[in-house]
Amino acid sequence: MVTPSIVIAAPASGSGKTTVATGLMGALRLAGRTVAPFKVGPDYIDPGYHALASGRPGRNLDPVLVGTELIGPLFRYGSRGCDIAVVEGVMGLFDGKIDPSSPDPTAAGSTAQVAALLGAPVVLVVDVRGHSQSLAALLHGFATFDPNVRLGGVILNRVGSPRHEQVLRDAAARVGLPVLGALPRMAELAVPSRHLGLIPAIEHGTEAVDAVDAMTALVATHVDVEAIAGLALGGVTGPQWDPDAAVGDAVSAAPRIAIGGGAAFTFGYAEHRELLEAAGAEVVTFDPLLDELPDDTAGLVLPGGFPEEHAAALSANAVLRQQVRSFADAGMPVHAECAGLLYLAASLDGHPMAGVVDVEAKFGPRLTLGYRDAVALADSPLWTAGERVTGHEFHRTELVGVGSSIPAWGWRRDDGEVVREGWASANVHASYLHTHPAGNAAAVRRFVGAAAAFSHARRAG
């Protein structure tokens, strides 16, 4: 059975996609449906709210990071056993990886590309503040720009008055698009944000639950949820992704791999843990703000997140910092992405960190954001020198006092400048670059193998 899906998109960022998508997931769940939640692109934060609304893990669909050929299989895997899938878009409908040389009207990694790959209709959420009859022209443009994308309807967000709503409904009718909902302006639904977007749900705690409940109530009241469910289509055919098949033979030693979690390390993909386990690892989550390394840890994964918001507390856990440094020095494989890199640094905003890599980190003035086509410059527990990957940078910290370690990645900027980034050694891979494990299953398998070898050597010694 193919799960029918609907894509929630917008003309631009800040239009209300997350409110509508999260609220729709919650409203469909309240109506008795089992909802599969997805997010287009490399976003780690919105899926946390999707998980609260749907009761299932939030998952990402990113053709740039995993390849177009995996979007259908990953969708089928993440939506198995569900009645409907709701896919929240990224940025504007046609926004994605910037490539001026591409002849395609739809950018790689865009919501439009994913909608076309899924064969799913799009519901456009429009922030209608300042809009009147000209809404018809905007809708006409979005409906006709790419024939591979089918617009199924529109949701009017931040409507000012009943009169305003009627004018907008008339405008939508002129281009033949049904209005599936009209949400009033409700500033109290705003979820607190910081420099990289919304505050992750795990940090926002009970307030995140309250926010999701409010989004659900708003959509259930002002959106025709059943009409949207009726638009959903099941256009994905072909095989379902399988983590066991992706990694191949599992290692026999079952090494224990610890993954950093808690408020400081919230950026990760659901498929990462699934691949680690498929490769034979026993996976344990711990909180670097509070915990020591779990007993018998043979490999360490430190994902992305917001360590700069918790630098003092991370530094205060001196026992863990010393453990990480000692085990890394002893050869334990470590995979650190972005926040993990900062934790392995000598210091972060003046607070002592683990000191595994010879660099200092600090909060910076500019956001670094974008896809990178990178090549591994050295062997590490995940990649061998010369392997190519596509990753994504998303941070507002910077490194100072760079030492003499071997960089993990190299790539060229648009202006041709060569960038060398991260740190790599026989057992440590630390970088700002985020990669999607489903697109790099062999690297996950290699890491588990390295952890098994370390565990065996430790027992033998």
Side-chain angles (χ1 to χ4, degrees):
M1 176 182 174
V2 178
T3 304
S5 58
I6 194 80
V7 175
I8 306 300
S13 296
S15 300
K17 292 190 306 293
T18 299
T19 294
V20 171
T22 305
L24 179 61
M25 293 169 189
L28 287 166
R29 185 184 182 192
L30 281 179
R33 299 175 188 264
T34 304
V35 183
F38 292 94
K39 171 70 180 182
V40 177
D43 185 291
Y44 299 96
I45 299 175
D46 292 345
Y49 290 89
H50 296 170
L52 288 177
S54 66
R56 293 175 61 90
R59 296 179 184 271
N60 296 69
L61 298 172
D62 190 330
V64 177
L65 293 187
V66 305
T68 56
E69 69 280 357
L70 274 185
I71 295 302
L74 285 170
F75 172 83
R76 294 203 65 185
Y77 176 76
S79 62
R80 64 200 187 282
C82 293
D83 304 315
I84 188 171
V86 177
V87 182
E88 180 187 344
V90 61
M91 300 184 291
L93 175 59
F94 299 102
D95 298 330
K97 185 178 182 181
I98 297 173
D99 182 2
S101 65
S102 174
D104 296 329
T106 298
S110 66
T111 304
Q113 185 190 34
V114 171
L117 289 169
L118 298 179
V122 173
V123 173
L124 198 69
V125 179
V126 181
D127 181 350
V128 296
R129 291 175 296 181
H131 280 282
S132 187
Q133 292 101 320
S134 293
L135 177 68
L138 181 147
L139 295 178
H140 175 74
F142 273 84
T144 60
F145 182 72
D146 185 343
N148 294 314
V149 178
R150 184 172 75 83
L151 220 58
V154 59
I155 292 176
L156 311 173
N157 190 28
R158 302 174 182 133
V159 175
S161 68
R163 173 61 177 164
H164 187 208
E165 178 181 340
Q166 187 57 55
V167 170
L168 298 170
R169 285 182 177 273
D170 291 343
R174 291 187 64 183
V175 293
L177 280 177
V179 174
L180 300 168
L183 280 61
R185 297 174 190 171
M186 296 184 67
E188 65 271 17
L189 281 185
V191 179
S193 62
R194 59 167 70 110
H195 51 278
L196 298 186
L198 298 181
I199 295 177
I202 192 171
E203 290 189 64
H204 209 31
T206 57
E207 292 180 55
V209 175
D210 292 343
V212 169
D213 288 345
M215 294 177 203
T216 298
L218 179 68
V219 169
T221 301
H222 297 283
V223 172
D224 190 339
V225 174
E226 288 305 313
I228 292 179
L231 286 174
L233 293 176
V236 179
T237 58
Q240 176 179 295
W241 184 73
D242 179 359
D244 292 320
V247 298
D249 294 335
V251 303
S252 58
R256 174 171 287 182
I257 292 180
I259 297 183
F265 297 93
T266 58
F267 292 7
Y269 295 110
E271 292 85 359
H272 196 180
R273 186 187 189 104
E274 293 161 353
L275 284 167
L276 288 167
E277 291 175 341
E282 176 196 356
V283 181
V284 179
T285 301
F286 75 107
D287 187 348
L289 290 171
L290 305 170
D291 302 330
E292 298 179 17
L293 273 182
D295 292 341
D296 299 321
T297 294
L300 175 62
V301 175
L302 294 169
F306 287 107
E308 63 269 28
E309 298 292 327
H310 307 277
L314 287 169
S315 185
N317 190 348
V319 172
L320 177 64
R321 290 193 291 110
Q322 181 57 46
Q323 285 179 322
V324 171
R325 174 67 181 269
S326 297
F327 277 99
D329 288 347
M332 183 179 72
V334 179
H335 178 198
E337 282 191 348
C338 203
L341 164 63
L342 302 181
Y343 184 80
L344 295 187
S347 66
L348 172 56
D349 288 334
H351 300 282
M353 292 288 125
V356 175
V357 295
D358 184 18
V359 69
E360 296 179 350
K362 65 177 183 178
F363 191 74
R366 297 186 305 275
L367 177 65
T368 300
L369 173 70
Y371 289 110
R372 311 287 184 241
D373 295 318
V375 60
L377 298 181
D379 293 343
S380 76
L382 292 103
W383 286 277
T384 57
E387 284 190 89
R388 295 184 177 276
V389 305
T390 298
H392 188 264
E393 277 192 288
F394 186 47
H395 58 91
R396 199 172 170 177
T397 56
E398 59 186 19
L399 306 180
V400 294
V402 177
S404 58
S405 300
I406 298 173
W409 300 115
W411 64 78
R412 287 188 182 275
R413 299 189 193 277
D414 292 338
D415 60 7
E417 179 185 352
V418 175
V419 176
R420 292 177 175 84
E421 188 274 334
W423 279 260
S425 69
N427 67 296
V428 176
H429 189 281
S431 167
Y432 270 126
L433 201 67
H434 292 282
T435 58
H436 196 302
N440 299 277
V444 178
R445 171 63 175 78
R446 192 175 295 139
F447 185 79
V448 175
F454 176 78
S455 178
H456 176 75
R458 183 169 56 187
R459 289 196 304 270

